[in-house]
């Protein structure tokens, strides 16, 4: 192997390639599959920022966790864990706005040992487009 080939293994990648790579290990869910997972006791985790939640609404029963707190709140062994983070076998479906940031977040949770963490293909927007339940903050 030449030095050039060895260095090539450490080359920087763009976000599109990184997403493609990390998604190889995820069994990403459709909106309907995510809904079924929640119905069967899995945890939906909404990582969208507040302005999007206020604008578009919330998925009933989803745990809202800001992205920068996700690992601390979902680590079953962590001192700052959410009560819903009951164990490493819990099916967790991470939901962002369109299904990009959630893939990276799900992989991060898998690195914490949450072996059933995945994300929702198309994010919240796909959930809403599928006609699944959404609660709005408007009266």
């Amino acid at each position: 192997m030449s030095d050039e080939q060895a260095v090539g293994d450490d080359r920087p990648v763009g976000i599109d390639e990184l997403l493609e790579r990390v998604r190889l290990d995820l069994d990403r869910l459709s909106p309907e599959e995510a809904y079924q997972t929640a119905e069967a006791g899995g945890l939906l985790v909404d990582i969208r920022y507040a302005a999007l939640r206020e604008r578009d609404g919330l998925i009933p029963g989803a745990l809202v966790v800001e992205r920068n707190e996700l690992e601390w709140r979902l680590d079953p062994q962590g001192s700052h864990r959410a009560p819903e983070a009951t164990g490493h076998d819990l099916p967790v479906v991470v939901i962002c706005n369109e299904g990009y940031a959630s893939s990276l977040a799900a992989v991060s949770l898998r690195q914490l040992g949450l072996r059933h963490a995945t994300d929702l293909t198309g994010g919240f927007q796909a959930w809403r487009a599928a006609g699944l339940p959404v609660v709005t903050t408007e009266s």
Side-chain angles (χ1 to χ4, degrees), residues 103-120:
S103 295
L104 298 173
V107 168
S108 181
L109 292 178
R110 283 192 171 206
Q111 291 172 337
L112 285 175
L114 292 157
R115 43 192 156 271
H116 301 293
T118 190
D119 74 323
L120 172 60

Side-chain angles (χ1 to χ4, degrees), residues 33-103:
E33 291 168 326
Y35 181 81
Q36 292 168 356
T37 297
E39 289 290 303
L43 180 62
L44 302 180
V45 181
D46 187 342
I47 63 169
R48 293 174 301 140
Y49 54 89
L52 289 176
R53 295 190 311 266
E54 290 168 11
R55 182 189 78 188
D56 295 336
L58 299 167
I59 296 172
L63 175 65
V64 174
V65 177
E66 297 288 333
R67 173 62 189 100
N68 64 328
E69 297 178 359
L70 182 68
E71 291 81 1
W72 284 266
R73 303 291 288 149
L74 272 286
D75 179 2
Q77 299 174 333
S79 60
H80 298 291
R81 75 173 181 83
E84 295 86 349
T86 57
H88 289 96
D89 289 324
L90 177 68
V92 174
V93 182
V94 183
I95 302 167
C96 67
N97 194 49
E98 295 181 346
Y100 296 99
S102 58
S103 295

